[in-house]
Amino acid sequence: MSSEIGLLGLGTMGRALALNIADKGHDIAVFNRTTEVTGKFAAEAGDLAERITPCDTLESFVAAIRSPRTIILMVPAGKPVDEMIAALRPLLAPEDLLIDAGNADFHDTRRRAAEARDKGELFLGMGVSGGEDGARHGPSIMGGGPREGWDRVSSVLEAIAAKYEGTPCATWMGEDGAGHFVKTVHNGIEYADMQMIAEVYGIMRDGLGMEATEIADVFDRWNEGPLRSFLIEISGKVARTIDPETHQPLLDVILDAAGQKGTGRWTAIEALMLGAPASTIEAAVGARNLSSRLQDRKGGEAIFGPAPTRIEPAEGVLDELEQALLAGKISCYAQGFGLLSAASQEYGWDLPLDAIARVWRAGCIIRSAMLDDMAHALAVSGLTNLMFAPSFASRMTGNHGGLRATVAKAALHGLPVPALSAALAYFDTMRTSRGTANMLQGQRDYFGLHGFERLDRSGTHHGPWATNPQP
Ligand code: 6PG
């Protein structure tokens, strides 16, 4: 029996995606470097086993797939992808299609796409979001590479993708690294969304002295309103979970040092390289970095003493926190879409911002009630900033007060809120037509004769630094 598609790499995501593909009625050949993993996967596939062809060698794997072949790579990002492409290359025909569906660095995807183009091969780089459950039951899929490659496989991808009111969350984003770039920004936003929730959790725990279950109740309530999202939902579930060993809230026994595989960091790096403001995402990455400096933080507390974190509970404080998250989220997404737009220009992708918002409406980690509205707002041509779209401008107007009050209270009580602060600073900067960079320009010209523009006439000017009296 020849399979319609092949999947290589049976880690958590690979296994889930293969089962999803089989579940949608497609025969699939699978291969994993370790043969036992392949055998075990097929043995545990239950009813779906009849659609799955487990293969022991790369040769038999390639031979098991119908021509022109489509092969999905689900191997760890980086060198393993290059090694696998090199191993497959001699076995493939020119019309075969390779898809890297891991969390690749889009620069690697661009390089691989260029190599494939030179060799006359078809290569797609595809972002897949939704974790294991998403991969198994409906991920959000962000494709990049030659359109003809996408068109060849899009019916399978649309079948396995999450659906938002019946519309599949699988879209071609553009050439070469476009799909992986969109996934990277998704993850940067994911970091920021998570960090802002964690900051608000910190205010409830340390500022208001709330227990984990009370905090869970608040998240559950927020999940019924405009903040409705996967991340708020799971934050409520995480806060409500009891540790079976100590019988305390699990959150209270989890070490406060966050891991990271690197995609959020890539978003921040790329934003800095492109000169695209993404301060909320950068703050979230920085906060993860700082979280792992546990010993240093203990040392700091020993020197300075703990902050006087307790906030006098006042009526409406939880509403303020909800508003803070709403405004912070809009500010962050405005930055995220701004970054996508900057990259689109730099790399010549023509990224469809409204379609990106649509593909994030279901299946992915940042899915939320707000994304459908964002898709509508971003579809209007000429929009320069998501916050300026009427429906989001009114939300910012209505909620930035809560963000401001939250950041102010947190600052006064020594509760660190780096991502919320950055979101507020971005908003305040974006509503200030006369900023303070005139001082920077004065300083730059003073020490380096870099020149400045004047408000009252055109051209490049210098200050009379040498002739002005010095104190
Ligand atoms: C997703 C997730 C997924 C994963 C990342 C982030 O969209 O399904 O973003 O890709 O959670 O690997 O992990 P880190 O937090 O370790 O960077």
Side-chain angles (χ1 to χ4, degrees):
M1 181 184 75
S2 67
S3 300
E4 190 180 339
I5 198 161
L7 186 141
L8 197 156
L10 293 171
T12 311
M13 292 293 280
R15 283 198 303 271
L17 211 58
L19 290 175
N20 188 355
I21 292 170
D23 213 3
K24 300 297 175 308
H26 303 282
D27 293 332
I28 180 165
V30 295
F31 173 80
N32 195 74
R33 250 175 216 257
T34 321
T35 313
E36 298 86 75
V37 172
T38 318
K40 191 165 177 285
F41 169 70
E44 291 172 358
D47 290 350
L48 296 175
E50 60 183 25
R51 296 217 168 271
I52 295 171
T53 305
C55 305
D56 291 349
T57 63
L58 262 192
E59 289 75 9
S60 62
F61 169 69
V62 171
I65 308 163
R66 206 176 305 150
S67 281
R69 299 177 186 87
T70 298
I71 297 179
I72 299 177
L73 300 180
M74 282 303 263
V75 296
K79 219 164 146 224
V81 176
D82 288 315
E83 287 169 358
M84 204 35 90
I85 293 174
L88 278 168
R89 195 164 262 148
L91 306 174
L92 298 181
E95 63 278 10
D96 293 344
L97 170 66
L98 266 189
I99 306 174
D100 174 14
N103 263 342
D105 179 337
F106 82 102
H107 290 295
D108 284 342
T109 306
R110 298 192 81 218
R111 170 179 54 78
R112 290 174 189 134
E115 276 165 23
R117 226 177 5 250
D118 289 348
K119 291 181 189 294
E121 301 164 348
L122 272 178
F123 176 78
L124 294 179
M126 191 170 89
V128 177
S129 176
E132 183 184 6
D133 194 58
R136 176 66 185 87
H137 300 289
S140 167
I141 296 177
M142 296 145 258
R147 180 78 210 211
E148 75 171 292
W150 175 264
D151 288 343
R152 195 192 302 165
V153 74
S154 62
S155 62
V156 177
L157 299 176
E158 285 171 5
I160 65 167
K163 310 287 180 303
Y164 179 85
E165 294 180 355
T167 305
C169 293
T171 298
W172 180 76
M173 300 297 173
E175 295 294 326
D176 57 68
H180 275 141
F181 185 80
V182 173
K183 175 64 178 29
T184 299
V185 176
H186 166 284
N187 280 31
I189 293 174
E190 172 186 306
Y191 274 46
D193 266 352
M194 292 167 72
Q195 175 63 26
M196 288 190 284
I197 293 171
E199 289 171 11
V200 162
Y201 155 73
I203 295 174
M204 288 194 269
R205 185 191 67 184
D206 301 331
L208 301 172
M210 292 168 66
E211 298 293 335
T213 45
E214 294 176 284
I215 295 172
D217 290 342
V218 174
F219 283 132
D220 286 356
R221 199 169 66 244
W222 288 349
N223 200 39
E224 300 296 315
L227 279 176
R228 189 162 62 81
S229 60
F230 172 70
L231 285 170
I232 291 284
E233 180 193 332
I234 65 162
S235 301
K237 288 182 176 162
V238 168
R240 200 176 293 290
T241 300
I242 299 295
D243 174 30
E245 288 169 39
T246 61
H247 307 291
Q248 291 177 43
L250 183 63
L251 257 184
D252 295 346
V253 298
I254 297 179
L255 187 77
D256 56 324
Q260 53 179 318
K261 293 201 193 95
T263 39
R265 188 182 305 149
W266 294 343
T267 315
I269 291 171
E270 198 54 34
L272 290 168
M273 295 298 286
L274 289 166
S279 48
T280 308
I281 296 170
E282 289 159 21
V285 176
R288 278 209 199 185
N289 295 340
L290 269 176
S291 79
S292 61
R293 302 287 170 95
L294 208 54
Q295 286 313 318
D296 287 353
R297 290 192 282 120
K298 281 186 180 154
E301 186 169 313
I303 295 170
F304 302 112
T309 52
R310 203 44 78 90
I311 296 172
E312 206 50 53
E315 208 185 321
V317 68
L318 292 176
D319 294 339
E320 261 170 24
L321 294 181
E322 185 180 21
Q323 289 175 7
L325 277 180
L326 273 167
K329 187 171 174 125
I330 296 166
S331 168
C332 168
Y333 278 67
Q335 297 165 46
F337 283 107
L339 170 58
L340 287 163
S341 172
S344 184
Q345 270 190 14
E346 174 71 18
Y347 298 107
W349 286 327
D350 202 15
L351 291 177
L353 299 189
D354 55 333
I356 293 171
R358 276 199 297 277
V359 105
W360 289 347
R361 289 179 303 183
C364 68
I365 302 296
I366 63 170
R367 61 187 184 262
S368 76
M370 232 187 255
L371 275 158
D372 190 45
D373 294 343
M374 288 187 188
H376 285 109
L378 291 161
V380 176
S381 67
L383 184 72
T384 54
N385 187 307
L386 180 69
M387 290 193 308
F388 301 165
S391 58
F392 286 95
S394 62
R395 279 177 239 215
M396 284 310 287
T397 304
N399 292 297
H400 77 85
L403 175 59
R404 194 174 305 288
T406 299
V407 169
K409 279 184 195 153
L412 283 173
H413 293 83
L415 291 155
V417 288
L420 289 171
S421 305
L424 177 64
Y426 176 79
F427 169 73
D428 281 338
T429 305
M430 291 307 292
R431 70 185 310 210
T432 303
S433 62
R434 174 75 174 151
T436 55
N438 49 324
M439 174 53 100
L440 303 181
Q441 289 298 78
Q443 292 162 337
R444 290 177 70 244
D445 192 54
Y446 188 103
F447 63 66
L449 287 182
H450 294 294
F452 52 78
E453 289 176 273
R454 295 179 60 104
L455 288 171
D456 51 2
R457 55 186 192 271
S458 60
T460 302
H461 302 270
H462 294 285
W465 317 120
T467 56
N468 263 19
Q470 305 291 317

